[in-house]
Amino acid sequence: MDQTKPGGRRARVVLPHQTVETPVFMPVGTAGTVKAVPQDILETLGAEIILGNTYHLYLRPGHESIRRMGGLHRFISWPGAMLTDSGGFQVFSLSQLRKVSDEGVRFRSHLDGSSHFFTPEHSMDVQIALGADIAMAFDECTEYPADRHRAEESLRLTMAWARRSLDSFRANCHQVPWHEERGGATQSLFGIVQGGMYRDLRRQSAERLIEMDFDGYAIGGLSVGEPRDLTLEMISEVLPMLPADKPRYVMGVGYPDEIEQYARLGVDMMDCVLPTRAARHGLLFTSEGRINIKGNKYREDQGPPDPACDCMVCRRYTRAYLRHLMHSGEALSGTLNSIHNLAYYLGIMRRVRNELGQEPGKQISTAVAPKAPCS
Ligand SMILES: [Zn+2]
């Protein structure tokens, strides 16, 4: 397969809280906040959809509490679209003393060591309580490297959990907190393609999920330490198999050049903690490449962080000032760095969208319409 073949598409994903222009980058709002960046600034930056992490919100403040307060949108005052992950990735990466069975995963909280049991049904219950526009099937993110036997076993679990996630979701999705006020609309549920770095397992996974008929499809288990050409190979393998009229989401990627490359291949949605996490460590993504703002050479640099960027940070502040904030451990440092990096990421997607939209015949309408009552 020609991996550089352009297959990018400009589309629109219609969700109950917001119609999202794709390809889109989704800032990660782990515990109900995109770290260090207020919601009104996210709006100003043009973010249309953000992520919430089910694992974190389940542990604190608790999904029942958020349900009682009307759902996550209302709790954090975010009027745009949201997506929650299934909790699986964090259960496997953050928690301690995991015990995986066909039934689910028992784990200890990384906060206080308390014991919890997550099943596909429980993940759906938590995600319905949180009430993001898009929920994700409960899966096991296969680690890298994983041998063939391990990848097969992990995929078997993920496929069984996908079926249970879907059945549970369909039976209960009318319980989403905004069901009535949104005229009977409800959430969408995406399935997650796994299969490690084995092409045939990925294919098998995609085929079985498509049979189940999810509202959209994610490619998971990438950017977990594998070489970048392998990431690209897996994305290129799976993308053409996914239905053209449903959103395609690659989870947890990537660097600026990667998200641009994947968007041009036909990926509609991506998320990554990188722009905000790197920002808090002083790493800025700019049109001139990555810069570490802590560097001595910026001590009296009066230029903007990125001369080609017109974000609110670059219009107002100098590299010297951002360096000073970083060295002084000022809280504003993480905020300003994060705002610029998010503006940079969102700007890449805006540019790709404009370029795709100018080519006749590339306009595709991918609609996940607000659905009628689900039961
Ligand atoms: Zn900027």
Side-chain angles (χ1 to χ4, degrees), residues 305-306 309-315 339-341 343-344:
D306 181 354
C309 179
D310 71 344
C311 84
M312 62 184 77
V313 175
C314 292
R315 282 201 308 263
I339 291 172
H340 165 74
N341 276 354
Y344 190 75

Side-chain angles (χ1 to χ4, degrees), residues 324-345:
H324 161 74
L325 292 177
M326 191 84 210
H327 276 271
S328 309
E330 288 291 339
L332 186 59
S333 167
T335 296
L336 296 185
N337 293 350
S338 296
I339 291 172
H340 165 74
N341 276 354
L342 286 175
Y344 190 75
Y345 267 64

Side-chain angles (χ1 to χ4, degrees), residues 7-13 22 210 213-217 238-249 265-268 361-368:
R9 55 189 200 163
R10 184 169 181 167
R12 228 168 236 147
V13 179
T22 63
I210 293 163
D213 194 20
F214 282 87
D215 299 313
Y217 298 89
V238 174
L239 272 186
M241 304 180 57
L242 300 177
D245 61 346
K246 302 272 179 81
R248 306 156 172 179
Y249 164 28
L265 282 174
V267 175
D268 302 308
K362 290 273 186 185
Q363 193 89 18
I364 308 167
S365 175
T366 306
V368 177

Side-chain angles (χ1 to χ4, degrees), residues 204-217:
Q204 200 189 102
S205 177
E207 283 169 357
R208 290 175 60 190
L209 292 173
I210 293 163
E211 269 175 34
M212 292 182 216
D213 194 20
F214 282 87
D215 299 313
Y217 298 89

